[in-house]
Amino acid sequence: MSEPDVIKPEMMKSYIWLQTADGSIQQVEQEVAIFCPFICHEIHAGMGSSKTYPISLPARVNPVTLSLILDYCRFHQVPGRSNKERKSFDEKFIRMDTNRLCELTSAADSLQLKPLVDLTSRALARMIEGKTPEEIRETFHIPDDLTEEEKLEPLKNITDDPRIRLLNRLYARKRKELKEKEKLKNVEVEAEHVDDRSVDELLSFINGENGDSKEVKTAKNKKKNRRRKEQQKNAPPVCANSNTSSSPSNGTKESNGVSSVSRDDRVKGHCLPNISELLKLQDSEDDRFALDDDFDDCDIGDGIDPEIKEQIDREVEDFARRLNSDWPERVQELLSLGQERRPSLYSINGNGCSTKRSNASGLEKHEK
Amino acid sequence: MALEASEFAPEDYISTMPDNVITSILHQLPLQDAVRTGILSRNWRFKWTMLTQLKFNEEFFVYLMKTKGENSLGKIVSRLLLHLNGAVTKSVLVPALLDVEDIHHLILFLSRKGIKDLTITDWSKPQVKLPTHLFSCLELKRLNIYGFCFHPPPGFHGFPNLLSLELRGVQYGGSDLGEFLTRCPLLEILDLGYLSYTGNVKLVEITKLVNLKILSLSLCHLETTTTISPCNVFELVGFLPKLQELGLDFQDCRLTEGGATKKFPTAFPALKALKLTRIDFGDGIMISFAFEMLRHFPNLQTLDIIATRQVTDPFPISIPIPEGEYNMRELRSVLFRNFKGSKNEVYLIKYFLACCPSLKKIEIQCDWCLQPIEQLIHARKLLMLHRASPAAEIEFY
């Protein structure tokens, strides 16, 4: 076998072997193939001289695009062509189906054939320039999978169109209202749950059964809702105007919610079953405050809230009376574990109300 | 064929192309179109933030003006920059409508993004002073400034990577231009055309730039004892072995004929293009100076002569132009601007036609002061001149 690096004398053209990703091997004139830097390097590394050692082309080069690329190389590697000829060849060359043009660009890029990459990417750019998004999607079969909101998000409002700004604000307000509606529903549902379960489980506890898992969960849900609601209150003015990139900031919001929940979980994890009622007591108190908040803020006045309030009041008093019997021992545990809980109590009160709702005082209130 | 199956269900192939290819496509779009691709689909939302070349050119600002109006241009540009992800290696700025403060912030931003190629144009007067942030862009390889006031801070250590520097129409603040140049040792292209500078540049300082391939400067900035003679120029060129293009501006310079008859020992084989700007054809010294140049650059292929626009002596002393002595074998193309039809100019053109066997094209652009009828007369005269090169085309407009 002759050396692959030596170009043979004029009479005989030397050929090299190329293998595409699908396994098919073909023979190409060396002078044409070395127009591609990738192939050139491979030849210098000693590959491609025989059928058993073909040059493996990168994955993006399939037989169709390879033949197109070789046509291009075959034309342009001839030194005698005038600029006009080359230009006219190029113009005819890029007339093909859009997807094939994209494949050709990727293939040329992986073979490091810069002139062809420039030519094809310019052609693709011409197809994008000055078109509306719908036209571009049509040309390239791009799915239209942004939600209406995402399309109008501040991220895209680079040109500061006042209509888009207005729409953003409306969307933000709508979002907030929807979330609050949802949360209220959750709260009602859980308030009712709490009421039901508190009675049942108090009884069951007093009778010595372990029912705290459910309690913890409901308390956790309420905490999460409250926290989300608070963030909601603070977030909209920020959200509507200076959202640099929505996904990361959404992520952090969520994680804030989650981390607060997990913190509560951790605290509650330490709580013994006999503390959980107290927690619930405080929760129900919080509920009352929370419901007040809801009532103040938004326009949703269902008339359900006062009823629940009354229910909760009743149950709380009930519960307090029952606890009275076991009061002295419980107080110790309450006070020690309540320390952990107190900081979160301050933050929860969204109204900015700085009432210090310590465990003891809360109980005292209801004892009367 | 393998593709036909996929053509039945048209694929969104373009979104799966490698990032560098998509970036190269986006770079070929006007900036506003590139940013708007963010709205195409979920996949495309942030592809434009990979842009590394920003063209804040007239086209972009015209578009913004149409859609938004003049007031929030700075705001929009800032917002756009906030989204960008990676380095910005190349930028073109035509910040004519931005506040000076915005320009400062923009340059500060670019200085932190590793900018390598910066072109910034602003022809407003008085000239805006470029902020010192510019001098912390130490990765610059190409710096083109048009207009503006450019003042390197004292003790500036130069741009270590700079290959190309153009300061056209720039006002250079300070008096250390020569020293500044010596601190950019890799320079290959230096263009100081139409520079306003009150100081001088020593020849020695320019000769330190051994890699220079293209040089353009004003003769009035060269420091010499009294006047400049062709020898000074040859000295300069002698120290720049790689020089291929030389541009000399004759405005406001004091020339001398010294060495006009003496043949300078070295010819300069590398020089292929010569551009002589703002020559006053009424001034005999200038013309002979120009001829000295031509004599010593035998491989010259391109010659551009731009006559001064200023009113010149309508009845200049005509200089006897020696014929046949100078052999301009390689000269292929001559461009002559602001042709006023004076005797000396006509002689010059006659000379070129007669002595340049390889001449392919001679282009003559008339000065605006020439009336059409005068243009016609001159054109007729030129057509009758003897041509050494049978292929020579004369374009007269």
Side-chain angles (χ1 to χ4, degrees), chain B residues 339 366 370-384 396-397:
Chain B
F339 176 78
C366 291
L370 269 191
Q371 302 299 321
I373 189 78
E374 290 174 300
Q375 287 183 25
L376 189 57
I377 296 172
H378 286 298
R380 281 215 190 109
K381 268 201 236 164
L382 288 171
L383 284 172
M384 291 197 298
F396 191 89
Y397 54 94

Side-chain angles (χ1 to χ4, degrees), chain A residues 171-183:
Chain A
Y171 273 126
R173 205 181 301 159
K174 199 70 192 281
R175 238 184 289 140
K176 173 177 153 186
E177 287 174 8
L178 280 171
K179 281 230 170 101
E180 282 171 355
K181 261 199 191 127
E182 264 186 58
K183 201 159 353 99

